[in-house]
Amino acid sequence: EEDREFTDIQWLTIQEDFDSLEDGKKEPKRIDVLIKGDMTAKAGPGDRVRAVGIVKYVQKSKKSKEDEYVSHLDGLYLEVQGSDYREIEINETEEQSIIQESRDPEILEKLIESVAPSIIGYPKIKLGLLMQQVSGCTMALQDGIQSRGEIHILLIGDPSVGKSFLLMFISNLAPRCAVGAGGGASGVGITASVIKDEKYGWVVEAGVMPLANGGTAIVDEFDKLKDDDRAKLHEALEQSQIHIDKASIHAVLPTRCSLLAAANPKMGRFDLYEPIGPQINLTPALLSRFDLIFVMNDHPDQLRDEEIASHILSGSIDKKPPIDMDFLRKYLAYARRLHPKMNKACERKLIAYYTQMRRNGFPE
């Protein structure tokens, strides 16, 4: 019998980065890549890669009378590029600048003002978005359970209050990010599913959250998701993984990412004369997965309306922020590498705040 030699292979589908698309070009190009040997199992969904290879054309179907060919890249080299805060390089000069800036007594106000500077106001929301990018501390408990450190945020409010602008800013700030829309994405688009491919058979297709693993998942129009689709998010948000058991495929996709979602009230706008809770078209089980929920009302306020109009008409919308985005990104990356420890005084304050909040929510 003739000697045979076996090697590992992997098919990847890569597409152009949205940041590299030319103006007016909406759809990125895609191509399949065949890699072999020690190049396999290096890249996962959502990774930014650089592939070098030879473009080959093969006949799509030998049974077809017409000659129809499809192309793929026969990979010779695969490089997984850094695409999260851990991979951001900070030299000594930048580190000293970050430390010096952190000692400024007004640093927090500067950071908040540098988040979506074209949108005036919302200091607490902007602070929450900054805390989401810094993230919490993931803890491995003694019983083997892992407590997530990612922060999930929901912005729910009237139309034209700036939710989409805040989401857009975070999508540009976060080095690893995947964006989707509830109105145009099913549970497959947000989580994952198994689809049948003509070329490869049954394959797992990753959605927004697996693609954002290690970064931030952004979903606009979150209230437009169907109830069945929302139920699939419970495991992804709380356990940071998705189990796939379909078509003889048993897989687990990691979704260790922060979710930033935006939604509108049930009737399109908030009714100021009705309680806010019933106007949110999300189930209590799904709402409990969010750590911060911000309600954004749009009601007439003469002082605020004058401030917004003056901000736009005076040209302040293009005003340079105190901290530019590149330095802000490195500042957050440096903060994520620190591991603060809570002292007893902080513990007592948190316990007192938590018990008081519970008491207010469940009055006797």
Side-chain angles (χ1 to χ4, degrees):
E1 184 178 353
E2 184 178 349
D3 293 337
R4 293 181 174 86
E5 182 178 351
F6 295 89
T7 185
D8 296 330
I9 67 168
Q10 183 181 10
W11 282 98
L12 303 177
T13 300
I14 62 175
Q15 69 176 24
E16 287 181 290
D17 189 1
F18 286 99
D19 297 336
S20 63
L21 295 180
E22 299 176 358
D23 294 339
K25 187 177 178 182
K26 300 297 183 181
E27 185 177 354
K29 294 181 180 179
R30 306 177 65 181
I31 189 171
D32 294 332
V33 182
L34 174 62
I35 56 177
K36 304 176 182 179
D38 57 359
M39 291 188 294
T40 60
K42 284 187 175 182
D47 286 337
R48 294 188 178 185
V49 300
R50 175 177 296 172
V52 178
I54 302 173
V55 178
K56 292 188 176 181
Y57 292 86
V58 295
Q59 190 172 358
K60 186 175 182 180
S61 176
K62 295 182 180 180
K63 298 180 181 180
S64 177
K65 295 181 180 179
E66 299 180 358
D67 292 336
E68 186 177 1
Y69 293 87
V70 293
S71 62
H72 75 269
L73 189 69
D74 196 355
L76 302 176
Y77 172 77
L78 184 73
E79 176 187 353
V80 180
Q81 299 177 323
S83 58
D84 57 22
Y85 282 106
R86 295 173 299 179
E87 303 296 334
I88 294 179
E89 296 182 359
I90 301 176
N91 57 42
E92 294 184 4
T93 303
E94 293 169 337
E95 182 177 356
Q96 292 300 322
S97 299
I98 291 172
I99 295 175
Q100 182 178 358
E101 193 72 29
S102 66
R103 294 170 180 167
D104 186 345
E106 298 181 356
I107 180 60
L108 191 58
E109 288 75 13
K110 289 184 178 180
L111 290 171
I112 292 174
E113 191 177 346
S114 301
V115 175
S118 61
I119 302 297
I120 192 171
Y122 304 126
K124 291 185 178 180
I125 297 178
K126 294 181 179 182
L127 178 59
L129 296 177
L130 285 173
M131 295 299 101
Q132 183 184 47
Q133 293 305 302
V134 174
S135 188
C137 299
T138 302
M139 299 178 59
L141 306 180
Q142 294 181 354
D143 56 1
I145 299 177
Q146 197 170 41
S147 175
R148 66 175 173 87
E150 292 76 26
I151 299 174
H152 303 315
I153 296 179
L154 173 64
L155 307 179
I156 182 165
D158 297 324
S160 303
V161 292
K163 301 188 300 295
S164 297
F165 279 96
L166 293 172
L167 267 60
M168 189 182 306
F169 178 85
I170 297 299
S171 68
N172 294 327
L173 174 66
R176 185 184 181 96
C177 183
V179 183
S186 63
V188 176
I190 301 300
T191 55
S193 185
V194 176
I195 62 173
K196 189 172 184 179
D197 187 271
E198 296 181 359
K199 186 175 181 180
Y200 312 116
W202 292 98
V203 296
V204 177
E205 183 177 13
V208 172
M209 295 197 67
L211 292 178
N213 182 53
T216 304
I218 296 179
V219 181
D220 201 356
E221 299 182 358
F222 193 72
D223 55 302
K224 300 297 190 297
L225 290 175
K226 298 180 181 179
D227 293 338
D228 294 340
D229 298 333
R230 296 173 188 169
K232 299 176 183 179
L233 292 172
H234 293 173
E235 180 187 15
L237 290 175
E238 191 60 33
Q239 301 181 20
S240 300
Q241 60 183 10
I242 300 174
H243 284 84
I244 302 295
D245 295 290
K246 293 181 180 179
S248 301
I249 293 179
H250 305 281
V252 179
L253 295 182
T255 59
R256 189 163 298 281
C257 63
S258 299
L259 175 63
L260 175 57
N264 293 323
K266 185 182 298 184
M267 302 304 294
R269 298 184 68 90
F270 277 116
D271 187 343
L272 299 179
Y273 302 99
E274 295 292 336
I276 291 179
Q279 300 185 64
I280 299 177
N281 190 27
L282 296 173
T283 61
L286 189 55
L287 282 175
S288 66
R289 264 60 176 185
F290 289 95
D291 304 287
L292 294 174
I293 301 176
F294 293 102
V295 177
M296 305 170 69
N297 287 323
D298 181 21
H299 56 273
D301 186 320
Q302 183 175 355
L303 293 178
R304 174 170 172 78
D305 292 343
E306 289 179 356
E307 188 179 7
I308 293 175
S310 176
H311 177 73
I312 296 175
L313 295 177
S314 65
S316 299
I317 193 170
D318 295 326
K319 183 180 178 182
K320 186 177 180 180
I323 301 176
D324 63 74
M325 185 174 291
D326 290 336
F327 187 81
L328 178 60
R329 189 180 294 113
K330 292 188 177 184
Y331 191 98
L332 296 173
Y334 185 84
R336 290 173 67 100
R337 298 170 189 179
L338 303 178
H339 300 283
K341 294 184 178 180
M342 189 177 301
N343 56 33
K344 294 297 181 182
C346 290
E347 289 183 5
R348 289 193 295 268
K349 287 185 178 181
L350 283 176
I351 292 173
Y353 179 82
Y354 174 74
T355 54
Q356 181 64 38
M357 182 179 62
R358 293 277 294 178
R359 190 180 301 112
N360 295 337
F362 298 92
E364 298 179 358

